Amino acid sequence: MNNITIHGICKALMKNDNFLVFTHENPDADTIGSCFALIVTLRLLGKTAYPACCDRIPASLAFMTEGDREFHIDNAPADFTPEYYVSVDVASTAQFGSYRDYASRIDLSLDHHATHENFSKYYLTDPHAAACAEIVYHVIDRLLNGKITEKIASLLYAALAADTGGFRYANTTPVTHKIAANLIEKGASHAEICRNLFECKTKTALAAEAFAMANVSYCCGGKISYVTITKADKQAHGFEDEDTYDVINVIRRVDGVKVAIFMREKDDGTFKISTRSAGEIDVSKLCAIFGGGGHAGAAGCSVTPEMAESALQRIIKECGFHE
Ligand SMILES: [Mn+2]
């Protein structure tokens, strides 16, 4: 499954310079925290490193990047020539989004998705890691001889907290808690991070969630909840794609729901389907039918507008619940 160790990764990073570190498309806190923690570390070691993020950082996560939201490859200085390409939390070539063409150049990928495609020269995937940041933590801790800075600690803590839903999801392990404890010891501002991640919401994000609560449907005796937000809905109610990131978490909370499905029409007209499972069903398998992937408890895929309704019905059917 892996062709390099943490020790090997540290050697490769020490030996090289001029790093470009890729996040996945529609970046979340894990890919952002992993990417920026690695960049800060590499710079501390005297190296040149820049992030490559094809999509804007969501406004709700801009607290992780000091308010900056654009980290395109051409935002790096003109005289920067990348020599070593890394990706973090990226499970497949498709997840590079508009940077898909770079996938074949990746020297090293660090990931925690069981569905990881081995697209890179070297790869370390640990599906037992709650977040990619757990793997990145081990790399950084070794590179810095335990001298993790406050800033790095906060970035990794935010990544860990986000991918575990505030250490509540089934992916949380004793290792996750030990790493989190160490990051707090190193100065991670945990309370502020958790407020930013889980409590603060823009008015438009709250409006999107209110829309979802008002329009959610149930089937299979209440075991499945689902809702769709179209472009027209977004226009009519004034919310944007990034306002809808927590919609899936709103509709999965309903008592008795085993699988939640959220379908969102993107600006390019395709539909992004996000799924969550309470445990029984492996939703990554359902999303794989449509070329997507993710984790057993959280997965997604994208389909064409013509496919959207039938994909939703197929996913519902594949859950195998009876009415
Ligand atoms: Mn992740």
Side-chain angles (χ1 to χ4, degrees):
M1 167 135 235
N2 298 313
N3 65 357
I4 192 162
T5 59
I6 298 282
H7 177 66
I9 290 166
C10 292
K11 263 172 57 184
L13 295 177
M14 288 309 290
K15 211 169 62 188
N16 285 281
D17 198 0
N18 297 310
F19 295 90
L20 196 57
V21 184
F22 286 78
T23 67
H24 60 68
E25 63 174 339
N26 302 319
D28 63 8
D30 186 23
T31 198
I32 295 168
S34 296
C35 171
F36 284 83
L38 197 55
I39 282 175
V40 173
T41 302
L42 291 168
R43 288 178 180 172
L44 277 176
L45 294 167
K47 297 174 181 299
T48 305
Y50 288 96
C53 196
C54 66
D55 296 318
R56 273 207 315 178
I57 305 290
S60 59
L61 296 178
F63 75 92
M64 296 178 71
T65 54
E66 281 147 25
D68 288 342
R69 299 178 57 197
E70 306 282 351
F71 295 95
H72 300 299
I73 292 175
D74 28 326
N75 285 52
D79 61 354
F80 169 69
T81 310
E83 291 168 345
Y84 198 87
Y85 295 79
V86 182
S87 69
V88 285
D89 200 35
V90 184
S92 64
T93 54
Q95 280 202 306
F96 282 88
S98 57
Y99 289 160
R100 204 155 309 174
D101 291 347
Y102 286 90
S104 59
R105 295 197 214 174
I106 301 293
D107 295 290
L108 171 69
S109 65
L110 305 178
D111 188 27
H112 69 127
H113 293 88
T115 55
H116 185 86
E117 288 173 11
N118 294 335
F119 50 79
S120 58
K121 194 166 160 203
Y122 293 105
Y123 45 88
L124 193 149
T125 305
D126 179 4
H128 300 292
C132 183
E134 281 194 16
I135 302 161
V136 174
Y137 165 84
H138 291 301
V139 172
I140 291 178
D141 193 42
R142 190 161 184 147
L143 281 173
L144 297 179
N145 276 320
K147 294 192 184 68
I148 288 180
T149 65
E150 221 175 278
K151 188 182 166 126
I152 294 168
S154 285
L155 284 164
L156 293 175
Y157 190 92
L160 270 187
D163 259 27
T164 56
F167 306 96
R168 289 174 305 157
Y169 299 159
N171 60 355
T172 309
T173 67
V175 175
T176 318
H177 279 292
K178 281 175 191 156
I179 294 175
N182 192 22
L183 293 173
I184 293 176
E185 270 175 12
K186 303 290 183 202
S189 48
H190 57 98
E192 191 190 331
I193 289 167
C194 287
R195 168 152 172 81
N196 277 320
L197 284 176
F198 306 116
E199 292 178 40
C200 271
K201 295 228 186 248
T202 60
K203 294 188 183 77
T204 45
L206 272 185
E209 290 171 27
F211 177 89
M213 283 187 227
N215 291 282
V216 62
S217 301
Y218 302 96
C219 64
C220 304
K223 290 196 178 72
I224 296 180
S225 62
Y226 60 98
V227 70
T228 300
I229 293 184
T230 63
K231 270 200 277 194
D233 296 328
K234 288 187 274 183
Q235 271 156 16
H237 300 274
F239 39 80
E240 292 178 43
D241 283 343
E242 65 178 58
D243 295 322
T244 66
Y245 285 169
D246 255 350
V247 160
I248 188 75
N249 293 317
V250 169
I251 64 165
R252 67 187 272 276
R253 287 171 61 181
V254 182
D255 189 25
V257 165
K258 309 265 190 218
V259 171
I261 308 165
F262 170 43
M263 199 154 73
R264 160 171 71 84
E265 187 180 4
K266 299 206 283 193
D267 292 333
D268 64 9
T270 59
F271 281 75
K272 163 88 197 185
I273 300 178
S274 304
T275 57
R276 295 289 183 276
S277 167
E280 234 167 275
I281 307 286
D282 180 348
V283 284
S284 73
K285 289 185 182 150
L286 308 187
C287 291
I289 299 172
F290 302 100
H295 306 284
C301 58
S302 289
V303 296
T304 61
E306 301 74 42
M307 284 284 294
E309 192 51 39
S310 62
L312 173 67
Q313 292 311 324
R314 175 84 191 274
I315 290 172
I316 290 172
K317 184 169 158 262
E318 291 291 331
C319 289
F321 299 128
H322 298 292
E323 276 302 326

